[in-house]
Amino acid sequence: MTPTDRRAALRVGAGLVAGGAFAAACSTSGSSAGPSSGASPGSSPGSSSPGSASTAVPREAGRASGPPPAASPSAVPAARAFPGQPAQITHGPRDRPRVALTFHGQGEPALAEALLGEAERHGARVTVLAVGTWLDEHPGLARRVLDGGHDLGNHTHRHLDINAMSEAEARSEITECAVRLERLTGSAGTWFRPSRTARASPLVQRLARDAGYPHVLSYDVDSLDFTSPGAPAVTANVLRTIRAGSVVSLHFGYADTLAALPAVLDELARRRLRAVTTTELLS
């Protein structure tokens, strides 16, 4: 990335921070520590709940009305089982120089585009776990993720505390997002990650299997970017504990994450660790 490109990317992030465009984040405590104010848990100024209108984030220009056509199912990877891996995966093999950067997919689409572009300029591939309501608002991003060679998965429909839900509610959260992924891409996606928690309860694990996800994707490195600690802190949080096989939790929707990503990727290259999709990490 040239200095000019990097300055332009950072200006995108800075401008969005000034505009107050943040995504609601996951946390291991089940509550968002993100900077949004006045937002209910699992929502963000850039997303809308069912039946409500969103004015904070414009829809893509020129978007056609109605659901977009589904892609050929054979062209889109689906969830698969990895023999020998646990039902809840926190990391991959430690004996290969690979890591997986996983992003919770929600928030301002311009930041998502900038993050994907930055990863691709470094030759990195990532995993995006998308929120269903976010896909409703920005359906073109599903194909953008896949066209960039990245993994796309399910991060529930409304990004609420899924472990605290009844069985019926939790099932709906998983299947509603899966339906949207299927409609947009021809597949329910490669991975499921629970919302507002690092690990799924036994019930949520079972419901994910029922929905076609053999494994729940957790992580062993938390960037804590949703707390908006500043780009240097995000970089340090990742690089302090990352090692071969690590799965890193990051978020779209935060300018700190965008600003930190070049330094993270440069250091991974120096350590000879490749950032790959989670599917490649485990293959």
Side-chain angles (χ1 to χ4, degrees), residues 13 17 22 111 225 227-232 234-235 253-261:
V17 170
F22 291 100
L111 272 175
D225 57 350
T227 66
S228 295
V234 173
T235 302
Y254 290 84
D256 287 350
T257 312
L258 175 60
L261 190 59

Side-chain angles (χ1 to χ4, degrees), residues 178-223:
V179 164
R180 281 153 176 78
L181 288 164
E182 181 82 33
R183 188 189 74 214
L184 292 168
T185 70
S187 165
T190 52
W191 298 99
F192 168 74
R193 173 170 287 167
S195 50
R196 297 300 180 98
T197 180
R199 297 183 64 82
S201 67
L203 170 62
V204 171
Q205 290 183 55
R206 175 171 63 79
L207 295 176
R209 286 196 303 272
D210 291 347
Y213 302 98
H215 305 280
V216 170
L217 181 60
S218 185
Y219 47 87
D220 65 321
V221 177
D222 193 345
S223 69

